[in-house]
Amino acid sequence: MSKPLSPAVAALADQGIRWVAITWVNHAGAPLVKVVPLAAFDGAVAVGVGFSPVSDAFRADGAIDPAHRLARPDGDLRLRADAGALALLEPASGWAWAPGERFERTGEPYAGDQRHRCRLQQQQLQQAGVELRAGFELEWLVASAHSDGEPQPALPGGPYGADRLVDGLDYASALLDALEAAGIPWLQFHPEYGAGQFELSLAPGTALEAADRLVHARLVIQRVTRRFGWHFGWRCSFSPKPSLERVGNGGHLHLSVQRAGQPLLQGGAGPGGLSDAGAGVVAALLAELPALLALACPLEISYRRLAPGSWSAPFQVWGIENREAALRLIPTAADGVPAHLELKVVDLAANPYLLLAAVQAVVLAGLEQTRPLPPPVSGDPAQLPAGAALRLPASLAEASSAFAASALLRQAFGDALHASLLDSQAAEVRRCAGLSDAELAAADAWWPLVGGLG
């Protein structure tokens, strides 16, 4: 006699759902998946499905880096679905989705699991009476492939243009319908600055919710764009720099912080209304930015996007409503939205669980041991006198060195996960060694599609 379905699974069955895609995100930022029939989902929650640890040795192109410490055939893990995060993916086709976390076969949590690390840091903040809420902005290019493989913007129209929205209204309608059918809360959608580029702002939530929503939304965007591709040859690219001649795609992270129910980024006497505690948070994030960059921008092509004068914020400065500051404070105002920070250097190659685990650790450290906050920067930092604004790492190798040297992040991740991430960063540096900028952009133009369109 078969075991009765849990109420959540039975409710999905009544809606015609038949399959569940269970994902996790590896060090290279790629969502990996195992699919189970809906009837087996409760088992996937309790026991999990098998996944080899070698998956974190995958490079951005899908190849296993032989020098990675996890590049071995031994061992197995169990990917357990999070029943509390079970959601729809494409209900009309019978699909649901859930994020997963990996466990040892003994039942102990796997120390190298990215989502579990984010969960642990969230619990540490909560135990300290601190609530962090976060949300991502996604930018992507809708394009068709030129004969040479170069992405060609698929929709005409100017920067932020209503002409592009109207020309692509069928696409926009299908996308927003799909997001709402999947239950993904969003705040704003619009054509972005770049040709054929769009942006979606997701609603804020806990760190885990924010990371899950990013993964979930990216799958939906990829799926809807591909459906249009059957007729028009369209694909979407989340690559930080799909083409050297065009603007790149960011994945900006917004966050607000409260302690004992009181917002820390407003209501104080500091610049922009910062409280003393809020200034400590900003100072800690600012100090750790070079190390955080290795997680926020984990591909070598990411650093071709972070160029001065391109509104990508490649300087280690903070500012009040300054879009060329790596840390931008948005004060509370008539809109009633709590004051929050925008970490502008992030792109969508980042593993959101790792990034938010690190950010939460830095926020907690900034509250426990405050440091002085330098004055905010106005205007373009590139126009300041030499030495007035430090340039953030200009390559993954530089960012990885900063990550390796961060005692705070080493402690937050634990030695095993920290070392494994360094191996993955070194693998990306080796993958890209000897490639020209043009070759690098071409190799990653259609990211996250492994192998591109060729």
Side-chain angles (χ1 to χ4, degrees), residues 57-85:
F58 292 176
R59 304 184 317 198
D61 61 0
I64 296 173
D65 183 79
H68 200 291
R69 70 193 62 220
L70 295 177
R72 58 179 187 266
D74 309 286
D76 192 36
L77 302 169
R78 305 298 295 179
L79 177 68
R80 295 186 189 174
D82 183 343

Side-chain angles (χ1 to χ4, degrees), residues 20-26 30-36 41 44 49 51 79-82 85 89 95-102 113-115 211-219 351-353:
V20 183
I22 307 169
T23 61
W24 66 278
V25 183
N26 70 4
L32 306 186
V33 66
K34 288 288 183 80
V35 176
V36 298
F41 180 74
V49 293
F51 233 121
L79 177 68
R80 295 186 189 174
D82 183 343
L89 180 59
W95 284 89
W97 166 86
E101 294 177 21
R102 292 170 296 162
D113 187 77
Q114 300 86 348
R115 191 174 188 269
D212 286 345
R213 285 171 187 169
L214 177 63
V215 175
H216 194 186
R218 215 171 66 179
L219 295 174
N351 181 313
Y353 303 107

Side-chain angles (χ1 to χ4, degrees), residues 122-131 259-260 364 367-368:
Q122 182 172 304
Q123 290 171 349
Q124 286 193 29
L125 274 182
Q126 291 170 342
Q127 289 165 5
V130 179
E131 179 188 9
R259 183 166 59 186
L364 186 57
L367 292 172
E368 291 177 340

